[in-house]
Amino acid sequence: MYEQISGNTLYLMFYAGVTVLNLIACCYLLFRRANAIAPDVTSSVRLRYWTAAFLGACTLSHLWYMPLIYLTSTEDIMMLYFVCALFDFLTIFPLAIAVLFTMLQDRRRPLWPIGVMVYYLLSIIGLIIYMVRATRQYGRWLHDNFADLEHKEVWQSFVVLAGILMGFSLYAFELQGLFFKCAAQMNVIILTLFLLWRVETLSDLTIQKDSGDEIAPLSGDEVTSPDNLKTSQPHNLTSLLQQHCIDTQLYLQHDLTLMQLARAVGTNRYYLSRYFSQQGTTYNAYINGLRIDYFINLYRMAAADKQSFTVKQMAEDSGYRNYATFSSAFKQRMGKNVTAWMQDNNN
């Protein structure tokens, strides 16, 4: 009996601690503007607010489930479970979907369908299909507009979040025992910490996307007409890119965006994107191709002069802040990793 009471008391303290953690995380995202996790990253204010709302709902959920600890009647427990589950469907699940939608920053997707989708079983399948499609669109948008993808990709986060959210099934199955109760609360802790990390390390892409004076594309019939696209797009984009990007080594600028390159070339972002598409490539592949070629030249000059060097330093000199990003881009460009390539060249 003593061990049972001691175990329940310990669980109650743990449960209260998780509730306080959610509340602190919610207040942190609402009232602190500067990032503590990644100070050099400007995070999305919109994402902070939606995540704070989700964590606030998790706090309330813990509060309205708390009476279950003291109830003894099976009928009372079942009734309270039903009411609490209803509150969860009205708050936690819609807000969780809103957080997922807000992480995709290529455009502001309407959030009102959440109110319709979340209450139907088939909507789960529809939501999965939509999120896969939307995530692929977001990935293509990143490759078409950004040279560096650090702090921008989210598909890995969606995979992790899916695994974490599956842990909430512990609530649905009403598993008994102290171990399962503590496991459910550990799941909440992991989710809270992961969301805090993701919110503060995901760059706010609306700054790059909306800032500056972009040359407006043609409107009306001029945009939809293929003939007008061909005649309006500059014929000498190849030479302009050679002059303003390759010769000036503009591609070495970290986080160079399509919009910035379009301004340097003196054309429209829309037409420059169409140009890369017609060449069968993306903006990201174009810039990374130039950077890898620059790295290869640096390596060959250092090897010819028998100079000491490190691959990491040459990668930074080639426009990469993140070595993992360089390694991935090099393998995609050359078909092998940088170590194997250097060994082949030495031989």
Side-chain angles (χ1 to χ4, degrees), residues 132-147:
V132 171
R133 182 172 177 270
T135 304
R136 289 173 60 87
Q137 290 177 340
Y138 178 71
R140 289 194 294 268
W141 177 76
L142 287 179
H143 282 81
D144 287 339
N145 289 274
F146 296 92

Side-chain angles (χ1 to χ4, degrees), residues 142 145-149 253 255-257 283-284 287-288 291:
L142 287 179
N145 289 274
F146 296 92
D148 303 283
L149 304 184
Q253 176 182 319
D255 221 2
L256 180 69
T257 65
Y283 168 71
N284 178 268
I287 295 298
N288 279 284
R291 290 176 174 177

Side-chain angles (χ1 to χ4, degrees), residues 230-301:
K230 292 179 181 178
T231 57
S232 300
Q233 183 174 339
H235 294 286
N236 57 341
L237 272 178
T238 302
S239 60
L240 289 174
L241 287 170
Q242 177 70 41
Q243 178 182 354
H244 297 287
C245 180
I246 299 176
D247 293 345
T248 61
Q249 296 183 339
L250 180 63
Y251 56 88
L252 298 180
Q253 176 182 319
H254 179 72
D255 221 2
L256 180 69
T257 65
L258 178 71
M259 182 183 294
Q260 292 171 332
L261 179 59
R263 291 192 192 124
V265 172
T267 186
N268 189 310
R269 181 182 64 154
Y270 176 80
Y271 293 126
L272 187 56
S273 178
R274 287 293 299 264
Y275 169 80
F276 288 129
S277 179
Q278 292 170 0
Q279 301 299 315
T281 186
T282 64
Y283 168 71
N284 178 268
Y286 174 78
I287 295 298
N288 279 284
L290 294 176
R291 290 176 174 177
I292 296 303
D293 290 343
Y294 184 84
F295 170 86
I296 291 174
N297 289 332
L298 284 182
Y299 169 78
R300 287 174 173 169
M301 287 189 296

Side-chain angles (χ1 to χ4, degrees), residues 64-127:
W64 58 58
Y65 274 105
M66 191 169 290
L68 290 172
I69 300 175
Y70 304 101
L71 294 179
T72 57
S73 171
T74 303
E75 293 182 357
D76 292 341
I77 291 175
M78 293 300 296
M79 178 59 70
L80 187 56
Y81 257 121
F82 175 79
V83 175
C84 293
L86 178 62
F87 286 159
D88 283 346
F89 272 105
L90 292 173
T91 55
I92 289 182
F93 293 118
L95 289 171
I97 298 173
V99 171
L100 295 178
F101 279 21
T102 310
M103 283 188 184
L104 303 175
Q105 300 182 67
D106 51 334
R107 64 177 183 275
R108 288 203 171 193
R109 291 174 169 81
L111 300 178
W112 64 264
I114 298 173
V116 178
M117 295 169 60
V118 76
Y119 303 111
Y120 298 94
L121 181 60
L122 292 179
S123 68
I124 298 177
I125 300 176
L127 175 63

Side-chain angles (χ1 to χ4, degrees), residues 164-283:
I164 295 175
L165 292 174
M166 287 180 64
F168 281 115
S169 60
L170 293 173
Y171 290 113
F173 290 114
E174 302 179 18
L175 295 177
Q176 301 298 319
L178 185 61
F179 171 78
F180 293 107
K181 292 180 180 180
C182 292
Q185 298 309 309
M186 282 299 301
N187 186 81
V188 177
I189 292 176
I190 294 172
L191 176 63
T192 301
L193 296 178
F194 180 82
L195 286 176
L196 284 175
W197 170 82
R198 182 69 281 183
V199 168
E200 295 219 335
T201 57
L202 185 62
S203 295
D204 183 4
L205 305 184
T206 56
I207 297 177
Q208 294 92 336
K209 186 175 66 173
D210 297 332
S211 63
D213 298 323
E214 182 185 2
I215 305 173
L218 300 176
S219 59
D221 296 334
E222 292 179 333
V223 173
T224 58
S225 171
D227 293 335
N228 284 332
L229 285 175
K230 292 179 181 178
T231 57
S232 300
Q233 183 174 339
H235 294 286
N236 57 341
L237 272 178
T238 302
S239 60
L240 289 174
L241 287 170
Q242 177 70 41
Q243 178 182 354
H244 297 287
C245 180
I246 299 176
D247 293 345
T248 61
Q249 296 183 339
L250 180 63
Y251 56 88
L252 298 180
Q253 176 182 319
H254 179 72
D255 221 2
L256 180 69
T257 65
L258 178 71
M259 182 183 294
Q260 292 171 332
L261 179 59
R263 291 192 192 124
V265 172
T267 186
N268 189 310
R269 181 182 64 154
Y270 176 80
Y271 293 126
L272 187 56
S273 178
R274 287 293 299 264
Y275 169 80
F276 288 129
S277 179
Q278 292 170 0
Q279 301 299 315
T281 186
T282 64
Y283 168 71

Side-chain angles (χ1 to χ4, degrees), residues 292 295-296 300 311 323-347:
I292 296 303
F295 170 86
I296 291 174
R300 287 174 173 169
V311 176
Y323 182 80
T325 301
F326 159 76
S327 180
S328 176
F330 188 93
K331 187 173 183 180
Q332 184 175 4
R333 172 78 169 176
M334 305 303 296
K336 60 181 69 176
N337 61 50
V338 63
T339 303
W341 179 87
M342 291 172 63
Q343 290 176 348
D344 292 344
N345 275 265
N346 289 337
N347 294 335

